[in-house]
Amino acid sequence: MAEPRVIIVGAGPAGVRAAETLVAAGLRPTVVDEGRRDGGQIYRRQPEGFARSSAELYGTEAARAEALHATFDDLRPKIDYRPGHLAWNVADGHLHVVHDGSAEALPFDAMIVAAGATDRLMPVKGWQHAGVYSLGAAQIALKSQGCAIGRRVVFLGTGPLMQLVAAQYRKAGAQVVALLDTSRLWHQIRALPKLVSRPDVLAKGVGLAASHLLAGTMVRRGVTPVEIFGDADGGVSGVGVRLVSGRDLRLACDAVALGYHLRPETQLADLAGCDFTFDAATRQFWPVIDEDGRSSVPGIYLAGDGVRIQGADGAEIAGQLAALAVLADRGRSAPTEQISRLRQQRRAMERFRAGISEAFPWPHHLAAGLAEETVVCRCEGITAGELRAVVHDKGADEMNRAKALSRVGMGRCQGRYCGHAAAEVVAAATQLSPAVVGRLRGQAPVKPLAIRTRRAAP
Amino acid sequence: MSPLQPRFVRLAETDRPTVTIAVDGASVEALEGDSLLVAVLTRAGHLRHSEFGPEARAGFCLMAACQDCWMWTHDGDRLRACDTPVRAGLSVLTQPPDMPWPNRV
Amino acid sequence: MSEPFRTDVIVVGGGIMGAAAAFFLRRRGKSVALIERALIGQQASGTNFGNVRRQGRFLPQLPLANRSRDIWGRLNELIGEDAEFLASGHLRVTYDDEMTARIETYARDALPYGLDLQIIGGNRLRERFPFLGPEVRAGSYAPHDGHANPRLAAPAFGRAARREGASVFERTEIVAVERDAGMFRVEAADGRVFRAEQLMIAAGAWGNRLSEQFGEPVPLVTHGPQMAVTEPIPYALEPVLGVSTTKLEETVYFRQVKRGNIVIGGAARGPASADTQRASVKPENTLLQFTQITRVVPALARLNIIRVWSGVESYLPDDIPIMGPSAKVPDLYYAFGFCGHGFQLGPGVGDVMAELISTGQTTTPIEPFSIARFASAPA
Ligand SMILES: Cc1cc2nc3c(=O)[nH]c(=O)nc-3n(C[C@H](O)[C@H](O)[C@H](O)COP(=O)(O)OP(=O)(O)OC[C@H]3O[C@@H](n4cnc5c(N)ncnc54)[C@H](O)[C@@H]3O)c2cc1C
Ligand SMILES: Cc1cc2nc3c(=O)[nH]c(=O)nc-3n(C[C@H](O)[C@H](O)[C@H](O)COP(=O)(O)OP(=O)(O)OC[C@H]3O[C@@H](n4cnc5c(N)ncnc54)[C@H](O)[C@@H]3O)c2cc1C
Ligand code: FES
């Protein structure tokens, strides 16, 4: 049998472990990553010439980061690695990539998409001001550039990443004004039975939360975000939230790190025609997969945070499982013991994932209360009021219709950052479930494509 | 905060060779390995202006996903600041160039 | 079973043709049921390029196009919104003498129809449109043509029709149409029944499925024109631009909206399926468009596209639509199979069809579009 052509999108933990598994089986996969360096999100490598140690960069995860980087360095000669290649489209058994203005169509028999995640966002009045960043951005500024996003930083939102990044900021010497968390302590307590499925990670999380208290950092739970203050020229000047007590809290700052946990990057799965299903617990659509990562489309496999937010360890497992599924589906012998062990580990990861989404719930109820003038779509400047108007005056009760009539999600980011919240605004305005309101259909290109792009010379 | 005040604060890795770039014609010292976004925001408050609102913008995701950080070059080219590494002589604008874009060749 | 829904006229299909017809039928006092499988304007009418262009059309279609152009200019007063119609001008450019000769001939021939085209060449062309590339030889400029927003136009007609008293049924797919005892009986997939004295089929690329139930099949095929849109940039390209050429891959067109995005189309066709109701853009076609549009305006190379899409467009072998009364069944009317120019025609088609249905005749000639021309076509 001819060697199957396998493409892996993403050189993060999921992609690297998938590549390793395929190489071990004697294949030479193509690994495509938009980034200039491997590592993906969590184990992002800093640019050449930077000097911080792994311990400084990755903290408790330094050993895992080093192991992943070492694995990848070993794999380099055994794979076709394409750094700096954006996968912008997929059609008819070809992945379309662009690198430095030159486009190529890579044929594949199987493709593992391990595209990772981006921050999940709920708008708040004023979040369009300069100085408001996603939580992930706050971490990248530090990890990959050695910078803080401002002098006095407020963390607003919820999720494990918020606890982590705030601690990393404090440690690096930045001034953390406060952690304003929309989740409540009882959310976390209620989720404990699921969270104990990974006791080590749970312990780290508890440690992080405690570190903020020990350091005397202001932490407020159960907040309702009201407004990010600021002006058009100067950007952010403060944050206002309503506390559980009903009292308003206003803090001065020059930067806000905003985020509500993560959402999978599903565009490629969508363009490949994969079926999606609504997950009621996290209130989002995500691709249907089996326990190994097979999508509904033969030959398309999905792994890592790009399909379920299970974190880095879960991504490593999912990457291996997806690769083993590719091998099995291509008639290679399947190591049944290894597979069943990985599946079992994956189930623990899945249980933990569900626990995290209960512990730090997506605050969908905020959508109904967004002031009319709140910008929902930052790209196009579309407000909650404009979005509600197409619902009430023009009968838009479905997401793509609301997009067509209001332009929400029509901007450069393709709805990555407003899509989930816009669906909640429409759901609240129509009194329908977001499962009925639906999701923005994916459209190529996955990211902006330069008109200068030309087909690579064959 | 005044638009001229730097937004980002360097906390580490300050020991790198410098590179000079130009932002709106003014010369700016950056460090080798900086992204264009960091180079600009360690010296100024924003990268560009929103097309549809009054406000200045300074990027949002830093991971090439939100597309909020596109700047202009003098020739009318576009650069995504968060994943463009600086190089000596790079010259960028926070506003579209004066001459209407289609007339520059 | 519940009573059938009863009106004077049933319009099946809520694209721009059906929605505009329902509106104008109400204006003429007819009671109307407008029935749409999905949402008003979701198919070709909502996904098209948005060209409101008359020049370059089949000449006998110009009276209809002129009538439609007149309505585009009065949308605000008629339906209370303008669907972003902009009489920006439309420029068709050529790359060689042969095509230049053709646009000159066309300009002469179109004049008696009231279409005033200016042929501009050489330096004058570059002075006026300094952004054109070196390969461009000449242009035919139509000062009164322009563009509008397809996402808004058909839904706006649908809402206006409803305000005027039409009964609009969305998410209602018609599966059976028949005429018995002098009345039409139209049945939806969910079993609901509609009855009326007159029936208009405006079902776009699916019109054939209904016309064949009346023994009038037509050889209709579908394609998906390939669309793309750029990021927003300062408004600077006034006219809609297009290339006049005989080579398919050179046939690109683009327009800038006031907000700044440039909408791009052409160069190739992609797959479109009437069964799945979906059309897609082939990645290689997007790249082909890049090569071709930068021949017209080289500075476009500096921009990025942020989205591509397509839509299900219907074509008949002669590239002209089916429009007018049935050749077999009294009180049955058709308006479907409009290919690449149906958006511009939509408001005019609605007006003409309303006139035809309520008076039995129309002042605008539409004979060339009769379904009778396919009467002998094999079923
Ligand atoms: C900003 C951010 C910060 C995070 N920080 C932490 C943290 O500190 N601790 C933690 O436990 N978890 C963190 N996470 C969660 C983290 O993403 C996962 O734990 C882990 O990185 C998931 O691994 P992955 O392989 O699934 O995806 P990733 O590591 O995200 O890797 C995905 C890779 O795919 C590439 N890619 C995506 N789309 C394309 C495309 N179209 N074309 C080409 N390449 C593409 C990306 O460039 C990336 O390298 C973070 C997530 C984000 C978004
Ligand atoms: C991508 C693209 C670009 C184009 N560009 C231009 C342009 O720039 N300028 C221009 O003038 N024209 C353009 N066109 C052509 C133009 O869009 C069409 O000719 C025009 O919109 C046709 O309108 P319609 O109402 O006949 O069809 P449609 O808009 O397709 O409407 C038909 C409707 O009938 C409904 N329907 C079908 N069957 C049934 C049933 N059994 N029961 C109930 N409802 C049913 C469908 O759901 C649909 O909504 C373009 C077309 C496409 C696809
Ligand atoms: S800051 Fe989001 S793309 Fe650059």
Side-chain angles (χ1 to χ4, degrees):
Chain A
M1 189 193 285
E3 186 174 294
R5 299 161 301 179
V6 186
I7 297 180
I8 300 170
V9 179
V16 172
R17 292 300 172 204
E20 181 187 32
T21 308
L22 294 172
V23 167
L27 267 51
R28 185 185 172 81
T30 300
V31 177
V32 171
D33 198 299
E34 190 192 353
R36 284 185 180 76
R37 306 200 64 189
D38 59 285
Q41 236 14 288
I42 172 169
Y43 305 135
R44 172 180 286 270
R45 285 186 170 182
Q46 57 187 353
E48 312 274 356
F50 282 55
R52 283 166 298 171
S53 68
S54 307
E56 278 174 275
L57 279 174
Y58 310 113
T60 55
E61 310 307 306
R64 293 200 80 107
E66 281 176 11
L68 195 83
H69 296 158
T71 302
F72 195 74
D73 291 342
D74 282 348
L75 288 173
R76 287 284 292 266
K78 301 171 197 149
I79 61 175
D80 177 10
Y81 176 40
R82 309 283 194 107
H85 281 60
L86 169 71
W88 70 273
N89 206 346
V90 52
D92 305 325
H94 286 74
L95 181 71
H96 292 262
V97 299
V98 55
H99 168 67
D100 241 355
S102 141
E104 255 184 288
L106 308 175
F108 62 83
D109 300 304
M111 174 164 75
I112 300 176
V113 182
T118 57
D119 295 86
R120 197 176 192 197
L121 268 303
M122 176 58 76
V124 48
K125 188 178 167 190
W127 73 309
Q128 72 275 25
H129 287 314
V132 180
Y133 290 95
S134 78
L135 199 51
Q139 191 186 43
I140 292 167
L142 186 60
K143 230 188 226 182
S144 136
Q145 295 276 291
C147 289
I149 56 170
R151 265 161 234 82
R152 287 158 311 173
V153 185
V154 167
F155 289 80
L156 175 62
T158 195
L161 196 56
M162 180 160 115
Q163 302 283 331
L164 174 66
V165 181
Q168 290 169 335
Y169 261 56
R170 209 180 43 238
K171 201 161 157 223
Q175 189 190 335
V176 176
V177 177
L179 273 79
L180 304 176
D181 194 330
T182 53
S183 75
R184 307 285 297 270
L185 195 56
W186 59 261
H187 288 130
Q188 281 115 56
I189 293 169
R190 193 186 53 179
L192 274 176
K194 288 190 177 129
L195 296 177
V196 293
S197 59
R198 296 184 67 191
D200 51 330
V201 185
L202 175 59
K204 279 182 204 162
V206 173
L208 273 179
S211 79
H212 297 302
L213 299 177
L214 285 174
T217 306
M218 177 193 282
V219 178
R220 294 289 180 272
R221 288 171 179 281
V223 304
T224 303
V226 176
E227 181 166 359
I228 296 176
F229 302 101
D231 65 80
D233 294 329
V236 177
S237 61
V239 172
V241 295
R242 182 146 311 133
L243 300 175
V244 185
S245 62
R247 199 168 60 79
D248 283 336
L249 173 70
R250 184 173 173 154
L251 299 169
C253 64
D254 63 1
V256 179
L258 183 69
Y260 295 85
H261 201 31
L262 301 169
R263 54 167 281 285
E265 279 280 290
T266 54
Q267 292 84 356
L268 287 168
D270 207 352
L271 294 173
C274 298
D275 288 342
F276 280 59
T277 177
F278 185 73
D279 176 60
T282 58
R283 294 172 73 94
Q284 65 186 316
F285 286 86
W286 57 26
V288 177
I289 45 167
D290 75 359
E291 58 182 341
D292 299 332
R294 288 178 187 84
S295 76
S296 62
V297 176
I300 306 286
Y301 303 76
L302 309 172
D305 275 9
V307 60
R308 301 286 183 269
I309 308 294
Q310 293 179 339
D313 301 351
E316 290 191 39
I317 294 165
Q320 294 171 66
L321 275 171
L324 291 169
V326 170
L327 293 169
D329 296 351
R330 292 267 135 201
R332 306 277 171 133
S333 70
T336 39
E337 244 171 63
Q338 188 190 0
I339 292 178
S340 65
R341 181 171 44 78
L342 287 166
R343 283 180 183 166
Q344 200 182 338
Q345 289 173 351
R346 188 169 194 276
R347 280 194 287 274
M349 298 292 163
E350 181 54 21
R351 200 169 154 73
F352 188 77
R353 182 203 62 71
I356 289 287
S357 61
E358 279 175 27
F360 304 99
W362 164 242
H364 62 88
H365 60 279
L366 295 177
L370 292 177
E372 293 283 277
E373 65 275 23
T374 308
V375 169
V376 172
C377 170
R378 285 174 43 107
C379 295
E380 293 287 315
I382 307 303
T383 64
E386 288 169 295
L387 184 51
R388 290 174 188 137
V390 301
V391 173
H392 296 310
D393 307 341
K394 302 189 174 175
D397 57 2
E398 184 271 337
M399 232 3 247
N400 294 288
R401 187 64 162 190
K403 171 181 172 179
L405 297 182
S406 74
R407 308 191 64 93
V408 77
M410 272 206 174
R412 288 189 179 93
C413 91
Q414 289 254 41
R416 275 185 178 79
Y417 288 94
C418 69
H420 287 196
E424 296 289 2
V425 171
V426 173
T430 51
Q431 308 270 305
L432 293 169
S433 152
V436 177
V437 166
R439 67 190 178 92
L440 294 175
R441 269 190 297 276
Q443 284 169 293
V446 171
K447 292 190 180 170
L449 184 66
I451 292 178
R452 208 188 286 291
T453 305
R454 294 293 177 267
R455 241 177 236 261
Chain B
M1 196 172 112
S2 133
L4 298 174
Q5 240 182 317
R7 185 164 291 290
F8 278 21
V9 186
R10 293 193 192 272
L11 297 175
E13 304 284 359
T14 47
D15 224 10
R16 284 174 281 148
T18 58
V19 191
T20 306
I21 65 166
V23 181
D24 291 334
S27 102
V28 164
E29 296 265 290
L31 301 181
E32 232 169 59
D34 277 357
S35 68
L36 174 60
L37 178 142
V38 161
V40 176
L41 294 181
T42 47
R43 299 298 296 262
H46 66 262
L47 303 169
R48 65 170 195 120
H49 288 84
S50 163
E51 291 88 354
F52 308 115
E55 77 282 357
R57 292 288 178 93
F60 183 71
C61 73
L62 268 65
M63 51 185 285
C66 76
Q67 320 302 331
D68 191 55
C69 64
W70 286 89
M71 300 187 75
W72 294 85
T73 69
H74 289 271
D75 292 341
D77 277 332
R78 317 298 319 272
L79 290 175
R80 188 166 57 199
C82 72
D83 71 336
T84 302
V86 287
R87 49 183 163 72
L90 188 63
S91 178
V92 293
L93 301 171
T94 61
Q95 314 263 7
D98 286 340
M99 187 192 282
W101 64 268
N103 300 348
R104 321 183 134 250
V105 174
Chain C
M1 216 178 89
S2 61
E3 283 288 292
F5 193 85
R6 184 69 180 80
T7 47
D8 297 335
V9 187
I10 294 170
V11 178
V12 179
I16 194 161
M17 308 301 165
F23 171 80
F24 287 112
L25 281 164
R26 280 305 304 145
R27 282 285 171 106
R28 288 173 179 271
K30 291 281 182 186
S31 65
V32 185
L34 171 63
I35 308 175
E36 163 56 40
R37 178 178 56 210
L39 298 173
I40 301 289
Q42 206 172 21
Q43 292 293 342
S45 300
T47 56
N48 68 71
F49 171 76
N51 224 349
V52 179
R53 161 184 72 86
R54 288 171 294 169
Q55 70 164 322
R57 277 171 195 274
F58 178 52
L59 289 167
Q61 208 176 55
L62 281 176
L64 177 61
N66 289 340
R67 184 159 168 180
S68 201
R69 169 60 186 83
D70 174 61
I71 299 171
W72 279 108
R74 295 191 291 122
L75 276 192
N76 237 331
E77 99 200 35
L78 281 168
I79 62 170
E81 45 193 301
D82 66 3
E84 294 174 10
F85 171 66
L86 197 64
S88 59
H90 182 279
L91 181 66
R92 289 188 100 195
V93 300
T94 61
Y95 293 138
D96 58 38
D97 295 343
E98 193 197 325
M99 290 314 295
T100 305
R102 279 214 215 171
I103 58 171
E104 281 166 352
T105 309
Y106 186 86
R108 256 194 317 276
D109 295 347
L111 198 58
Y113 291 94
L115 192 60
D116 51 333
L117 300 174
Q118 306 162 12
I119 303 296
I120 318 172
N123 293 341
R124 274 189 44 238
L125 185 68
R126 289 216 158 54
E127 271 160 35
R128 188 141 171 215
F129 306 108
F131 42 75
L132 292 173
E135 288 183 81
V136 173
R137 290 289 183 81
S140 167
Y141 182 69
H144 306 294
D145 284 358
H147 53 110
N149 188 334
R151 288 179 286 106
L152 306 181
F157 267 110
R159 285 192 303 277
R162 182 176 272 153
R163 279 197 304 275
E164 295 281 330
S167 303
V168 181
F169 299 87
E170 290 183 304
R171 297 180 171 119
T172 304
E173 179 175 16
I174 297 307
V175 289
V177 285
E178 60 178 351
R179 186 166 196 268
D180 77 308
M183 288 271 283
F184 287 95
R185 182 181 183 281
V186 167
E187 189 176 333
D190 61 11
R192 267 177 298 162
V193 173
F194 301 80
R195 292 185 74 98
E197 278 87 17
Q198 290 171 300
L199 173 63
M200 171 174 162
I201 304 294
W206 302 267
N208 187 37
R209 297 182 177 188
L210 300 174
S211 70
E212 71 191 9
Q213 295 188 30
F214 292 109
E216 294 181 290
V218 293
L220 182 148
V221 295
T222 54
H223 294 292
Q226 312 281 282
M227 302 287 125
V229 64
T230 69
E231 60 198 319
I233 32 151
Y235 182 63
L237 275 187
E238 236 186 21
V240 180
L241 285 129
V243 181
S244 194
T245 167
T246 50
K247 298 187 190 118
L248 176 63
E249 77 269 18
E250 287 182 343
T251 318
V252 284
Y253 36 92
F254 47 95
R255 64 185 179 100
Q256 187 172 22
V257 303
K258 276 266 170 88
R259 278 176 72 92
N261 312 74
I262 298 169
V263 185
I264 299 159
R269 288 167 172 178
S273 157
D275 293 329
T276 63
Q277 299 156 30
R278 288 247 172 274
S280 58
V281 177
K282 283 179 169 280
E284 50 274 26
N285 290 345
T286 302
L287 296 175
L288 185 58
Q289 285 175 336
F290 290 178
T291 311
Q292 293 298 335
I293 58 174
T294 45
R295 290 175 71 187
V296 185
V297 176
L300 287 170
R302 304 187 185 290
L303 309 178
N304 295 285
I305 61 152
I306 59 174
R307 188 167 57 250
V308 305
W309 73 95
S310 184
V312 182
E313 186 172 48
S314 50
Y315 296 80
L316 289 151
D318 50 10
D319 279 350
I320 56 174
I322 306 276
M323 182 180 172
S326 157
K328 285 195 169 166
V329 181
D331 292 318
L332 173 62
Y333 299 87
Y334 295 123
F336 68 88
F338 290 83
C339 49
H341 36 236
F343 181 62
Q344 190 280 342
L345 292 178
V349 170
D351 191 23
V352 168
M353 293 304 292
E355 182 190 11
L356 183 64
I357 290 171
S358 49
T359 70
Q361 56 193 25
T362 167
T363 49
T364 302
I366 56 168
E367 292 73 26
F369 316 129
S370 169
I371 196 164
R373 71 187 192 274
F374 296 111
S376 56

